[in-house]
Amino acid sequence: MSAHRDTGPREDRRREAYRTARSTLAALQATLPEFSTLSYTEVLLALEAATDLAVPAVVPVETYDHGSLYVQARTAVERLAEHGNRLGLELVLADLDAVWLDDVRTGGAGDLP
Amino acid sequence: MTYGQSAAALRDALGRLLAAQRVRAALDGRDPRRELAGKLFTAGYSWDEIQRALGIGRELLREYHAAFRDDGRLSEGPRRTASEALEDGGFDVRPFADREANRQRAMRDAVALLVERGYEHQQIARAIGANDHTVLRYRRLLEADGWRPTVVTAAHALEEAGLEVPDRATTPRGAERSSAYRRLIAFLRGRGHEQQEIADTLGLNVATVRTYQRRLEVAGWTPDPRPDPREALAAHGIEIGPDPGELGDENREMVTFLTTRGYTQDEIAGAISLDRSSVAYHQSVLRSGGELPPRDAAPRVPIEQAIANLAIETPDRATPTQRVATAELIMRYRAEVIAYLAAVVDHSVEHRFASLAAGATDPTYRLRAALLELRDTGPRATAADLGTVQPIRAVDLWRQAAVAALAGRERDLPTTLTADQQAAALGDAVAVLRALVGLDERYAAARGWQRLPLTVSPGTETWALPAVVLDAAAWVTDHEGADFSIDRHGPLADDRRPGPPPATLAAAAGAMTQAAAYLAGESEPVKASVMRWLVDAQRRIAAYACHHARTLGLDDAVAVHEERYGRYADIDAALTDVAGTAGRETMAVVEIAGAVRILHHARRASEPALADLTTACQDLDRTIAQMLRVGAAGYYFQRTERLALDNLTGTVTRRTVPVHDPISGENNPGYAPGWIELERLAAPREVARSPEREAFTARVHALAADSLAVAQARNLALYPSDENRRVLADHTSAKVIAGLDELDVAGTAFAEARARLVGALAATNGTLAELGQRCGLEPGEIAWLIEPACGIDAEALTTVGVDRDGGELASDGGVSGSERTDGVDVPVFAVRSADGGFDGLEAGWDDLAEPPAFVGGSVADVEGPGL
């Protein structure tokens, strides 16, 4: 990967989106109880595997509202998918949706019946 | 195209497809117009324009808008707030209540003024833009507040108008006085004052006033119309705002303005200080037909162009037949993709299990079985399907995926894969299969769509397909170390056009490049017979290249290839009796044969093509030299004939028996110099371009040859009976002399090859102390390392060193025929090559990866632990 690809507004936006995605996913994971069969961490790992950017530091999120966190994370991954490993990131989105659906179905209890 | 390219094209097409489907499914709608509408909202187009352009109703558009707003995506982008938008549109954004209070105050003032001026109610109503009931109502309100109209007297009117009553005492009777009276009377009557009042004001009697009036009328006078009440209002600075109806209109206009720009009811209500229900009311009035055109122009780009730019297709309503046809088409594309996946997985999965049950425990085996079963269902895409660009974007993405799959299956399928490369290929396949399963769920409700089977049952087993896919995905995730060098597999697209390759030098260069890549990728030397063929082919290629270079007049290239020709001729001679069955056969042979054929016919040479050819040839030289070097240790053997005596039957028979010995300087003196010269040719010494260059080069070559001969003699003395080690030492000496290796490197790698130390020492005339200093060991330890093989006295070596001029080493060391006593069976042959082409080999052969443990090793202790 040459140096000029690491600069430029698009790369900045991608890095920003990546940071947002990681931060919100980490915050979502933090909303789950400690022992949980659901895990946003796996989504996070899949995201890492599907992204070629350097792993950024997680920043504090502005809200702890479940829904907005999900929307933010999903939007960020969608933005990443616009210029990147499309298939991998689409599968990350599918993973995120699956975990989110289970999360909603269990009402935030984090455990499937 | 390589495996990586076709696989990437397939993944990209499927990724785009998933993205398109995700957008469609975002609102349950399967409707791309939602995303389109949202983008147009944020781009600032009005609702009407979007509605017209997309051909959808306002209700649906409102739903899209709400969904977009809920996603929080409307706030993105350079969008102005509703208040700012109103200011841009030139609207008055003061609150309604303020404006209404101001207006009522102005109305009361106006009514009071005009009533005092004696205007009729109808006139007042017309002046203030209300009806006379309103005027009456205001008058009653004023009177209820205690207001009484102050009557404007005639005297006051005259004073206001700046007219003076003529003084009877000073003004003589006559025309002047009567004309003044006439003017005043006309003025006052025109203002509606009574004759009696006028008479009182002017000091006349009524009859006189009446007479004046009659005369005025006879003369054609008519009373001036009373001034417009609006003028009176303006003279007093009273300005009536818009009436309630107009105010409502303005509000409605603002609501229209903001609504058409996609602002929500809340935003609108906040911006113009109305409650939300009023906004809703205005919007409902608008919807029922009373729409006002937006004030300013739309965004500069026409909306059709904007839609085209966004490239989200809005399919026309299709008939059921068309839908079924589309579904069948997509299923044919899907079959193509599945066939590709099956082929890839078939190549990259171990499937030789003892039984189905044993294999079924392996997720990758299950994946392979499932894919092989899926592959055989349904028709594949035809050439017409693959070649026709589809108007619907999603279908065209399917087509692109199928084309990539077909190209990958027919041309770029990787054949021989390492375990890590298999894992990489399997990862790709699993990702694509997950996408297929996901898309299958999306399409489940589509007309004519046949879903993938829920279960696969090869043999007696039955597995759920999603479980198979998930297991394989988990396996891929767990399998670390996927090797993505597989992405470079496969022939280059340019090389495989239909028909015979063109007989140009460029084609030959391409074939040679490919051959060099193949040969460099081999993990072992090629078989001796292949090597002989390779060397002969290189010799011929060098001849051809020399000819072309001469035609082009490139003297440098001529020299290069002439020298190559000489080297390969030497090696060819040296290889005459070399044989061996170990080693590999290589695809490079095919490419080189093609190159020779092309070169035989090639006519038009060009300089860049010749340069490519030269580079590829030098790459090949390097690899061939390495193979020759490594091949001498266990791959290639010198065939000699010896006399044998048979006396099985009692009579002694003499006959010659072919014997294969390891190649040495004695039985094949041309071998080692051959590859050394070749290697030197491939990695030429950098000599500064100076006038003495030729002389210097000749001197260096002569010195190298001398040194090599001396070193070889010394090595022979050290290892008189240990052929392997002597060859090894010879090679190491040669490398050091040729500048390809250094004492430093030899020192750091001492643990790998103790014989190298001997070679290095012999070549550099170095001392044990020097070498020990380089590699951080005591001279005694070095001596111990070397000694078991030759039994040299450590003290003597340390003090005397190895002298170049003679055989001290041989005589002094008391060279005996001692066999190897260190317990190492495999010949240690791990010269680290400069480009690492044989790393794998090296690792496999390296039995001395760690330094030997010194048990009581000291300077005096001349016996190693293994003795």
Side-chain angles (χ1 to χ4, degrees):
Chain A
M1 185 171 302
S2 59
H4 73 270
R5 274 195 62 192
D6 290 340
T7 55
R10 178 193 286 176
E11 286 302 303
D12 287 346
R13 284 201 296 276
R14 287 189 68 216
R15 276 195 284 270
E16 185 55 41
Y18 190 28
R19 171 179 294 127
T20 313
R22 283 180 55 83
S23 308
T24 43
L25 282 175
L28 276 173
Q29 175 66 27
T31 60
L32 290 178
E34 197 166 337
F35 297 103
S36 159
T37 54
L38 297 177
S39 167
Y40 289 99
T41 310
E42 296 198 357
V43 183
L44 203 61
L45 292 177
L47 177 64
E48 250 171 50
T51 317
D52 56 351
L53 298 171
V55 175
V58 169
V59 294
V61 288
E62 292 171 2
T63 170
Y64 275 91
D65 175 35
H66 229 57
S68 359
L69 282 178
Y70 164 70
V71 169
Q72 282 179 20
R74 201 172 190 283
T75 313
V77 180
E78 282 173 19
R79 268 187 225 147
L80 275 177
E82 283 168 14
H83 304 284
N85 172 6
R86 283 176 188 280
L87 183 56
L89 287 168
E90 290 294 338
L91 294 177
V92 169
L93 279 178
D95 288 347
L96 173 60
D97 286 354
V99 177
W100 169 252
L101 273 184
D102 286 344
D103 196 3
V104 169
R105 204 182 304 153
T106 56
D111 210 350
L112 292 177
Chain B
M1 202 180 248
T2 64
Y3 165 80
Q5 283 170 313
S6 51
L10 175 59
R11 286 201 303 267
D12 191 58
L14 283 176
R16 285 173 192 275
L17 197 51
L18 277 180
Q21 301 299 327
R22 162 167 60 78
V23 171
R24 280 175 185 229
L27 186 71
D28 125 78
R30 296 186 174 82
D31 192 341
R33 290 172 295 196
R34 170 176 176 264
E35 190 73 8
L36 192 51
K39 296 230 163 111
L40 293 174
F41 278 137
T42 47
Y45 290 94
S46 73
W47 283 42
D48 293 327
E49 284 174 313
I50 300 174
Q51 218 175 328
R52 272 196 304 276
L54 301 185
I56 55 178
R58 182 55 70 98
E59 290 298 325
L60 190 55
L61 193 58
R62 194 170 296 119
E63 264 185 47
Y64 292 159
H65 187 261
F68 242 72
R69 185 191 56 219
D70 294 346
D71 283 357
R73 291 159 79 172
L74 268 189
S75 55
E76 293 171 10
R79 196 157 182 276
R80 298 174 69 75
T81 65
S83 305
E84 288 168 340
L86 283 178
E87 282 173 13
D88 293 347
F91 288 100
D92 182 3
V93 289
R94 278 181 302 161
F96 176 84
D98 289 359
R99 300 164 68 195
E100 183 63 16
N102 281 343
R103 185 177 168 279
Q104 289 191 0
R105 207 172 305 124
M107 288 283 272
R108 286 163 66 118
D109 293 347
V111 168
L113 178 75
L114 295 179
V115 167
E116 284 177 350
R117 289 298 154 91
Y119 286 101
E120 301 293 335
H121 287 166
Q122 287 86 350
Q123 287 177 309
I124 298 175
R126 236 175 287 130
I128 63 174
N131 58 17
D132 38 1
H133 292 289
T134 310
V135 177
L136 271 177
R137 187 158 54 85
Y138 274 106
R139 182 163 184 174
R140 265 184 235 114
L141 284 171
L142 286 166
E143 285 170 356
D145 287 345
W147 170 82
R148 291 289 174 274
T150 38
V151 176
V152 179
T153 61
H156 192 216
L158 288 178
E159 193 183 335
E160 201 176 76
L163 296 173
E164 279 185 11
V165 180
D167 190 353
R168 299 177 72 145
T170 57
T171 313
R173 175 191 292 259
E176 187 184 352
R177 202 164 82 179
S178 49
S179 69
Y181 279 131
R182 204 161 48 239
R183 204 164 54 243
L184 292 176
I185 288 168
F187 171 77
L188 290 174
R189 284 299 289 165
R191 304 291 296 262
H193 291 277
E194 299 296 327
Q195 289 178 342
Q196 183 63 56
E197 189 194 359
I198 294 169
D200 292 346
T201 309
L202 299 182
L204 303 172
N205 62 26
V206 179
T208 315
V209 172
R210 195 176 298 134
T211 306
Y212 271 112
Q213 186 179 348
R214 198 167 53 248
R215 285 183 188 161
L216 282 169
E217 286 167 355
V218 167
W221 171 88
T222 47
D224 282 339
R226 306 193 63 180
D228 193 345
R230 289 190 186 89
E231 289 174 17
L233 291 178
H236 283 79
I238 296 174
E239 195 179 346
I240 309 284
D243 79 333
E246 285 177 7
L247 193 60
D249 278 351
E250 190 176 348
N251 274 341
R252 190 166 302 161
E253 201 174 340
M254 287 196 277
V255 169
T256 311
F257 183 81
L258 293 176
T259 308
T260 53
R261 272 152 191 81
Y263 290 94
T264 62
Q265 287 186 347
D266 284 327
E267 285 170 328
I268 297 174
I272 57 181
S273 308
L274 287 178
D275 55 349
R276 206 176 141 176
S277 55
S278 308
V279 176
Y281 165 73
H282 283 304
Q283 287 181 339
S284 71
V285 172
L286 289 176
R287 208 171 304 129
S288 59
E291 298 194 19
L292 300 168
R295 278 195 183 181
D296 60 355
R300 264 172 246 142
V301 184
I303 192 165
E304 293 79 10
Q305 184 60 43
I307 291 173
N309 289 347
L310 287 171
I312 299 175
E313 89 283 5
T314 54
D316 297 330
R317 301 262 170 229
T319 64
T321 325
Q322 286 170 330
R323 281 164 195 265
V324 171
T326 306
E328 282 171 354
L329 181 62
I330 292 181
M331 285 190 295
R332 290 200 293 276
Y333 290 143
R334 182 182 66 179
E336 204 61 62
V337 176
I338 288 178
Y340 170 71
L341 293 184
V344 169
V345 171
D346 199 19
H347 276 99
S348 41
V349 166
E350 179 59 52
H351 55 268
R352 292 184 295 266
F353 283 96
S355 67
L356 182 61
T361 57
D362 188 347
T364 61
Y365 180 85
R366 291 205 295 275
L367 181 70
R368 172 178 173 275
L371 276 172
L372 289 182
E373 189 177 315
L374 289 180
R375 181 183 65 180
D376 301 329
T377 55
R380 303 267 181 86
T382 63
D385 292 341
L386 293 170
T388 315
V389 175
Q390 298 294 327
I392 302 174
R393 184 159 171 267
V395 182
D396 199 53
L397 286 171
W398 270 109
R399 184 185 70 86
Q400 290 171 15
V403 168
L406 184 73
R409 185 165 57 87
E410 293 203 339
R411 297 180 11 191
D412 305 329
L413 215 53
T415 46
T416 54
L417 298 180
T418 65
D420 288 345
Q421 288 175 339
Q422 287 176 354
L426 212 55
D428 287 348
V430 168
V432 172
L433 192 57
R434 281 186 65 194
L436 286 189
V437 171
L439 287 167
D440 188 52
E441 282 175 17
R442 296 258 169 85
Y443 291 160
R447 199 186 290 260
W449 181 258
Q450 290 169 8
R451 299 197 58 174
L452 292 170
L454 282 177
T455 58
V456 287
S457 46
T460 53
E461 306 263 343
T462 300
W463 306 317
L465 181 62
V468 169
V469 176
L470 281 180
D471 286 350
W475 182 89
V476 168
T477 312
D478 291 343
H479 196 95
E480 302 284 341
D483 179 4
F484 291 100
S485 65
I486 185 181
D487 285 352
R488 295 192 296 274
H489 276 218
L492 295 172
D494 289 343
D495 298 341
R496 295 298 163 99
R497 298 230 175 80
T504 62
L505 214 55
M512 289 295 285
T513 309
Q514 192 62 47
Y518 276 132
L519 205 62
E522 299 292 353
S523 57
E524 285 180 304
V526 294
K527 287 180 178 177
S529 54
V530 177
M531 178 53 80
R532 280 163 57 185
W533 187 91
L534 277 180
V535 168
D536 184 51
Q538 284 299 101
R539 190 174 56 82
R540 292 165 62 195
I541 285 174
Y544 284 125
C546 194
H547 164 73
H548 284 296
R550 206 167 274 134
T551 311
L552 289 169
L554 303 171
D555 292 340
D556 287 352
V558 169
V560 166
H561 287 290
E562 269 180 347
E563 188 159 5
R564 290 187 62 241
Y565 183 88
R567 297 291 154 249
Y568 275 111
D570 292 349
I571 298 175
D572 198 23
L575 286 181
T576 311
D577 280 331
V578 169
T581 50
R584 300 183 69 89
E585 292 180 349
T586 175
M587 282 293 288
V589 169
V590 179
E591 299 288 345
I592 292 177
V596 171
R597 197 179 58 245
I598 294 170
L599 278 172
H600 183 64
H601 296 288
R603 288 290 174 268
R604 291 179 304 278
S606 67
E607 191 171 343
L610 187 67
D612 286 350
L613 184 66
T614 307
T615 313
C617 285
Q618 285 174 338
D619 285 350
L620 266 174
D621 291 350
R622 201 169 297 128
T623 313
I624 287 176
Q626 283 173 348
M627 283 188 171
L628 285 170
R629 186 190 68 206
V630 178
Y635 287 91
Y636 305 150
F637 297 93
Q638 181 70 29
R639 181 178 181 279
T640 51
E641 291 186 343
R642 287 183 191 160
L643 281 177
L645 299 178
D646 279 352
N647 60 351
L648 294 177
T649 56
T651 57
V652 175
T653 315
R654 291 162 138 206
R655 57 190 185 111
T656 51
V657 179
V659 178
H660 290 93
D661 291 327
I663 298 173
S664 70
E666 282 175 336
N667 60 14
N668 192 348
Y671 185 87
W675 70 257
I676 290 166
E677 289 298 321
L678 188 61
E679 201 161 56
R680 172 134 37 103
L681 205 59
R685 223 177 252 261
E686 281 296 324
V687 179
R689 292 181 179 279
S690 65
E692 300 85 4
R693 181 183 164 197
E694 298 299 324
F696 182 73
T697 310
R699 171 88 187 102
V700 166
H701 283 192
L703 195 63
D706 290 351
S707 310
L708 185 62
V710 172
Q712 279 177 342
R714 191 163 298 146
N715 291 334
L716 178 62
L718 278 173
Y719 298 111
S721 60
D722 192 348
E723 283 295 323
N724 286 338
R725 294 192 168 202
R726 192 168 55 73
V727 170
L728 190 58
D730 281 351
H731 293 176
T732 311
S733 301
K735 274 184 77 80
V736 172
I737 289 168
L740 301 174
D741 210 347
E742 293 173 23
L743 197 56
D744 274 344
V745 180
T748 50
F750 78 98
E752 298 171 4
R754 62 184 63 176
R756 289 183 54 170
L757 295 180
V758 175
L761 274 175
T764 59
N765 197 13
T767 62
L768 283 188
E770 200 179 325
L771 182 59
Q773 190 188 355
R774 298 277 173 93
C775 57
L777 288 177
E778 293 292 321
E781 290 168 341
I782 303 277
W784 173 82
L785 273 175
I786 299 171
E787 206 149 15
C790 56
I792 309 170
D793 183 16
E795 293 296 333
L797 266 176
T798 312
T799 52
V800 175
V802 182
D803 194 351
R804 186 177 287 271
D805 297 329
E808 287 102 336
L809 195 59
S811 56
D812 174 64
V815 176
S816 65
S818 66
E819 284 302 314
R820 303 163 51 196
T821 51
D822 52 359
V824 180
D825 295 326
V826 182
V828 182
F829 189 82
V831 180
R832 191 179 300 280
S833 61
D835 55 358
F838 287 89
D839 278 352
L841 184 62
E842 205 174 333
W845 282 25
D846 188 2
D847 277 3
L848 288 175
E850 294 180 0
F854 293 107
V855 184
S858 69
V859 179
D861 185 6
V862 295
E863 289 192 355
L867 288 171

